[in-house]
Amino acid sequence: MSGRRVRAVPAGVFILGDHFDDGNDFDGETPVRAVSLLEFDIDETPVTNAQFAEFVDASGHVTEAERFGTSAVFHSVVAAADRDVLGRSPSAPWWIEVRGADWRHPAGPGSDLEGLSGHPVVHISWHDATAYSAWAGRTLPSEDQWEAAARGGLIGARYPWGDELLAGSVWPCNIWQGAFPDVNTAEDGWVATSPVRTYQPNGYGLYDMAGNVWEWTRDQYAPRLRRAPRALPLLDDRRATRGGSYLCHDSYCNRYRVSARTGNTPDSSAANCGFRTVSKAPDS
């Protein structure tokens, strides 16, 4: 596949989870735990529009957003006629359901991919990401693989680069600056996705392990309460996503930390969710 670069994550024991008690109880970032993993390789960046287009051209795949005819777009970047704006999410009114929003039209039918070939593909469901991975002879990462890779060899750090979000004058990742959800000062230069490799890589040479787009994993999302005597049941077969996105901000969502996690149903798509792949285990 053109443009794919991968990086190796060595075999070893990785200390995963929230070391700072930063997360919400219901997100299940704790307890901190030791996990043994075999060596694997992982895409250096999220899958880009150009890479996904190659898959679609070769396979004829039609994404779920295209089949359903709608997907979710952040309110300030919608590019659609009034007739194509179908409503707001009751729980997160900054999300607009837009007819004609899909990976080729990330802001709605009035947008396209001009200038975005090197940006992460979005409006991708878990089923779409799984289909791409199978075509590529790869798989989606487990949550443990994703977090081990995101840490880049650091033990217990809050972010892929250390414990401080902003140690200097240069933003280390693509997240929201300003007052969420209405004022985006775009100090990092981006109001939506940024090209992969815009920011510095982590210790394993991986880009965008914090911010830019949420990334699907292959695992089911089982939220846990830290002080509960047992895990909560699975909810609606949700699948776990990692890494946060360009919309994350401390006032609402600080889930661009390496231990942070959330989930969504496997047919869901939005303008801030993509994926990357890993190598399959030898016996899979």
Side-chain angles (χ1 to χ4, degrees):
M1 278 127 276
S2 64
R4 179 185 303 286
R5 300 179 191 172
V6 299
R7 295 283 184 166
V9 177
V13 176
F14 297 87
I15 309 302
L16 308 182
D18 177 9
H19 290 69
F20 297 89
D21 200 26
D22 285 333
N24 299 309
D25 282 351
F26 53 79
D27 280 346
E29 296 183 37
T30 54
V32 172
R33 62 207 180 278
V35 175
S36 296
L37 295 173
L38 299 175
E39 180 177 336
F40 63 95
D41 69 54
I42 185 168
D43 293 344
E44 192 175 274
T45 73
V47 172
T48 65
N49 285 308
Q51 291 168 333
F52 196 78
E54 184 180 2
F55 158 60
V56 170
D57 290 345
S59 67
H61 181 82
V62 178
T63 63
E64 291 192 296
E66 291 171 293
R67 289 194 287 108
F68 296 155
T70 70
S71 192
V73 179
F74 191 70
H75 71 101
S76 63
V77 299
V78 171
D82 289 346
R83 65 179 179 276
D84 293 321
V85 176
L86 305 181
R88 295 176 179 263
S89 166
S91 59
W94 44 87
W95 281 114
I96 310 295
E97 194 69 17
V98 177
R99 180 167 38 229
D102 54 49
W103 75 274
R104 289 187 175 94
H105 309 93
S111 65
D112 57 34
L113 294 181
E114 184 176 358
L116 301 179
S117 63
H119 288 233
V121 66
V122 294
H123 296 292
I124 299 300
S125 73
W126 184 87
H127 293 133
D128 297 325
T130 299
Y132 174 98
S133 301
W135 170 80
R138 295 170 66 78
T139 187
L140 292 176
S142 69
E143 282 199 82
D144 288 347
Q145 285 178 319
W146 192 96
E147 185 175 332
R151 290 187 175 278
L154 299 180
I155 298 174
R158 181 177 277 119
Y159 306 109
W161 53 85
D163 292 337
E164 298 300 321
L165 174 59
L166 190 60
S169 59
V170 178
W171 283 90
C173 62
N174 181 4
I175 57 175
W176 184 282
Q177 295 95 44
F180 186 86
D182 296 315
V183 179
N184 187 351
T185 61
E187 293 171 26
D188 60 2
W190 307 97
V191 295
T193 60
S194 52
V196 299
R197 302 186 182 92
T198 294
Y199 300 89
Q200 291 297 307
N202 73 0
Y204 290 148
L206 304 174
Y207 295 83
D208 288 341
M209 300 304 287
N212 214 1
V213 294
W214 281 102
E215 299 181 14
W216 289 108
T217 72
R218 67 175 180 265
D219 291 340
Q220 289 180 304
Y221 175 62
R224 298 179 294 274
L225 289 177
R226 180 170 58 243
R227 296 179 179 86
R230 59 183 175 83
L232 292 173
L234 295 173
L235 300 177
D236 305 323
D237 193 32
R238 293 180 189 178
R239 302 292 167 153
T241 56
R242 289 293 200 123
S245 81
Y246 60 86
L247 295 178
C248 280
H249 186 270
D250 277 346
S251 66
Y252 175 71
C253 167
N254 67 342
R255 294 189 179 98
Y256 43 86
R257 296 168 293 102
V258 288
S259 64
R261 59 196 296 270
T262 189
N264 212 336
T265 54
D267 59 353
S268 295
S269 62
N272 68 337
C273 192
F275 69 104
R276 74 179 76 207
T277 69
V278 298
S279 53
K280 290 184 175 180
D283 58 349
S284 64

